Amino acid sequence: MSGTDIGEIHDAETWDVLDEAWNSWGTLDSDVIAHLLNPAFVGGPTWPALRQAHVIARRQDAVLVASSGLADPTCWNTGEYTNGYELEVFGIAPDVPADSNPMTVATSWLGQMVMTVSNLVAQHGFEVLEMVEEFGVITIELSNARLPDEGGDVFVDENGSMVVMLGLMDREIPGFVNAPLAPVRLINVKLLTAAEAHFCVHNSMGEERARREIARRFAIQGSVLWSSLGRPSVV
């Protein structure tokens, strides 16, 4: 069975279960964020079935941006069939006005954060899912971060980098959806303050325990899956 065949058989079902998950949170846009020219053809990261896109869901109080394509049904060179890397990533923020047009959402710090992480996942493949499953939550540094002025001093470190946490879970969004070829994990991307990021690395309890402690504090703070430039640090 070719990659084209596997897509024709399972694409629609995969997209339907993902759409259902995002619609359970808000209202999914009919339009997607996509490139006029696929970055994979000009030296960019290659997504599993080459389709690179992002979707937007909206509520009155927040906007959700999620990757769309990391879990596309794929036929690998080994002959194995999977739902891509068996994950999609998403971020939620109240900072982006809910009535923003798709281009404004795409170029917002939320959109750029999710897109950057999506492409990092595409570069590392199944390794990201394996790490989240092993450790529960992980952190990733994003270099050359660009945030509005109100977030620069709190969320960007002295080197111009920001850190995100992947893998936080809450009943607000299902942790998995049952796609036709495998369960697909929906991995939250949460922006950390520079102090929270420093705590995850420089502490006396070890990095893994420190990440779990930050996750515990987020649970107490509330809105576990949400990122915001106005969110008080838990450190």
Side-chain angles (χ1 to χ4, degrees):
M1 186 182 296
S2 70
T4 301
D5 291 337
I6 200 72
E8 290 177 350
I9 295 171
H10 295 301
D11 275 352
E13 185 179 352
T14 297
W15 300 337
D16 284 348
V17 296
L18 288 166
D19 287 356
E20 183 179 353
W22 307 135
N23 273 317
S24 73
W25 179 85
T27 301
L28 191 64
D29 281 12
S30 57
D31 296 325
V32 301
I33 302 168
H35 302 276
L36 292 176
L37 177 63
N38 193 317
F41 301 144
V42 289
T46 301
W47 289 34
L50 293 181
R51 188 180 70 90
Q52 302 188 25
H54 290 81
V55 297
I56 303 168
R58 306 171 191 265
R59 294 193 333 199
Q60 290 185 344
D61 55 350
V63 169
L64 178 151
V65 177
S67 61
S68 179
L70 292 173
D72 276 5
T74 304
C75 177
W76 302 101
N77 293 334
T78 59
E80 182 182 6
Y81 307 117
T82 70
N83 267 104
Y85 293 131
E86 299 178 2
L87 62 82
E88 298 286 1
V89 299
F90 71 95
I92 302 172
D95 303 15
V96 181
D99 60 353
S100 298
N101 62 52
M103 182 60 68
T104 298
V105 176
T107 57
S108 69
W109 67 264
L110 172 67
Q112 292 298 298
M113 178 183 75
V114 174
M115 291 179 196
T116 299
V117 172
S118 299
N119 284 321
L120 286 173
V121 170
Q123 290 175 10
H124 294 280
F126 287 103
E127 180 182 350
V128 176
L129 179 61
E130 291 167 357
M131 291 179 64
V132 171
E133 290 181 339
E134 179 177 358
F135 298 109
V137 290
I138 62 173
T139 55
I140 297 178
E141 182 180 51
L142 307 181
S143 302
N144 302 317
R146 295 182 180 179
L147 291 177
D149 291 341
E150 63 266 29
D153 293 340
V154 177
F155 292 90
V156 178
D157 67 17
E158 63 274 10
N159 298 316
S161 298
M162 69 184 194
V163 174
V164 294
M165 177 169 281
L166 273 60
L168 291 165
M169 298 181 70
D170 186 76
R171 283 180 287 183
E172 187 172 0
I173 294 284
F176 297 86
V177 296
N178 291 317
L181 298 172
V184 170
R185 184 156 185 163
L186 307 182
I187 296 183
N188 176 251
V189 181
K190 184 169 180 118
L191 177 62
L192 301 186
T193 66
E196 291 163 350
H198 185 273
F199 178 83
C200 286
V201 177
H202 303 285
N203 60 82
S204 59
M205 62 178 64
E207 293 185 26
E208 184 175 352
R209 288 184 61 191
R211 292 193 301 267
R212 290 178 179 175
E213 172 60 20
I214 290 291
R216 186 189 69 82
R217 296 183 189 185
F218 285 152
I220 295 172
Q221 185 179 59
S223 298
V224 176
L225 305 181
W226 292 35
S227 297
S228 173
L229 300 184
R231 179 181 65 79
S233 181
V234 297
V235 172

